[in-house]
Amino acid sequence: MMQDSLDLTTLIFLGLAVFVIWKLRSVLGQKTGSERPPFNPLARREEPPAAPRDGDNVVRLPGAGPERAAAAPVATAVPRNWKGVVEPNSPAARGLDLILQQEPNFDPRAFTDGAKVAYETIVIAFAKGDRKTLKTLLSREVADGFERAIQGRERAGQTVETTFVSIDRAEIVGVDVRNRVAQVTVRYLSKLITATRGPQGQVVDGSPEKVVDVTDVWTFARTLGSRDPNWQLVATEAGH
């Protein structure tokens, strides 16, 4: 009788255990859609995608990358104060409004920072006769003028040494938008050391030691909405 009772009790507990296991599997085995995939220590971890860079509000330089900025949708122009950038309600301010109408991500402060880099890059490239760098940053007309000056130096056996001491100021002084082509004019105040040497190394112009104050007014242009993000130098003049 004890053996029969033990067997019956064992069977009851076994039945209960099977029932509990079945219920647990019916609940824990269901997928809810929030499970993480199994961890694979050998799998390459993907880096989060980088935030897109705005390619329309700076003067691009060589080596900036092959990416191109997509054309921005046309937006309604909203007049802005532009205090600290250009004179409020000036023609330059209205020109910036027109640029933003076609390219809302345009940032004139970032443009000015890029224009500083472009200014120093172009001046140094011109002094060295670096035609490859100049070609990417100049319009055809300006490039032709620079090329004539470089060839003249080469024929005379002259070399130019230029060192930037500082760019004290770069400010937007004019903005013009016509037929989707924007032109932004920047006035630079800088300090340079520059000297031109002749075939024998003698100084024929400037000084290798004297710091001089230089004012230049340069104009950069770009077709708004274009997939080409580059601004090019289209005009230069000595400022005052």
Side-chain angles (χ1 to χ4, degrees), residues 28-101:
L28 299 180
Q30 292 180 355
K31 294 185 178 181
T32 64
S34 61
E35 297 84 359
R36 294 185 178 182
F39 174 69
N40 182 358
L42 299 180
R44 180 174 63 88
R45 297 188 180 184
E46 297 289 343
E47 295 293 335
R53 298 189 302 178
D54 182 7
D56 296 337
N57 56 6
V58 298
V59 179
R60 289 300 186 93
L61 301 177
E67 67 275 1
R68 293 183 176 182
V74 175
T76 302
V78 178
R80 302 192 182 188
N81 186 9
W82 297 119
K83 185 177 181 180
V85 179
V86 296
E87 189 68 24
N89 301 316
S90 65
R94 290 191 290 272
L96 291 177
D97 290 335
L98 289 175
I99 291 179
L100 285 179
Q101 182 178 357

Side-chain angles (χ1 to χ4, degrees), residues 4-208:
D4 293 342
S5 177
L6 180 61
D7 291 341
L8 180 60
T9 302
T10 301
L11 290 175
I12 292 173
F13 278 108
L14 285 175
L16 288 173
V18 170
F19 176 77
V20 170
I21 293 173
W22 177 80
K23 290 295 291 182
L24 285 174
R25 291 193 63 181
S26 66
V27 174
L28 299 180
Q30 292 180 355
K31 294 185 178 181
T32 64
S34 61
E35 297 84 359
R36 294 185 178 182
F39 174 69
N40 182 358
L42 299 180
R44 180 174 63 88
R45 297 188 180 184
E46 297 289 343
E47 295 293 335
R53 298 189 302 178
D54 182 7
D56 296 337
N57 56 6
V58 298
V59 179
R60 289 300 186 93
L61 301 177
E67 67 275 1
R68 293 183 176 182
V74 175
T76 302
V78 178
R80 302 192 182 188
N81 186 9
W82 297 119
K83 185 177 181 180
V85 179
V86 296
E87 189 68 24
N89 301 316
S90 65
R94 290 191 290 272
L96 291 177
D97 290 335
L98 289 175
I99 291 179
L100 285 179
Q101 182 178 357
Q102 298 190 53
E103 295 191 352
N105 291 327
F106 179 83
D107 182 351
R109 292 180 176 85
F111 174 91
T112 302
D113 290 339
K116 289 181 182 179
V117 178
Y119 177 64
E120 183 172 352
T121 300
I122 292 172
V123 169
I124 295 299
F126 174 68
K128 293 181 177 179
D130 183 355
R131 294 173 170 87
K132 183 177 180 181
T133 297
L134 293 174
K135 183 179 180 180
T136 64
L137 296 171
L138 310 180
S139 68
R140 180 175 298 178
E141 293 76 11
V142 175
D144 289 343
F146 278 40
E147 177 63 22
R148 288 192 295 270
I150 292 172
Q151 289 180 358
R153 292 198 320 243
E154 292 174 343
R155 286 193 296 268
Q158 296 177 345
T159 58
V160 177
E161 301 170 354
T162 298
T163 302
F164 266 88
V165 177
S166 64
I167 298 179
D168 298 330
R169 191 170 184 179
E171 59 180 350
I172 295 175
V173 295
V175 181
D176 183 66
V177 180
R178 298 181 185 180
N179 298 325
R180 294 181 56 229
V181 176
Q183 293 191 353
V184 181
T185 301
V186 181
R187 179 188 289 123
Y188 301 92
L189 304 178
S190 63
K191 288 182 172 61
L192 302 176
I193 300 174
T194 183
T196 302
R197 295 184 182 274
Q200 307 304 319
Q202 75 279 18
V203 177
V204 297
D205 189 27
S207 168

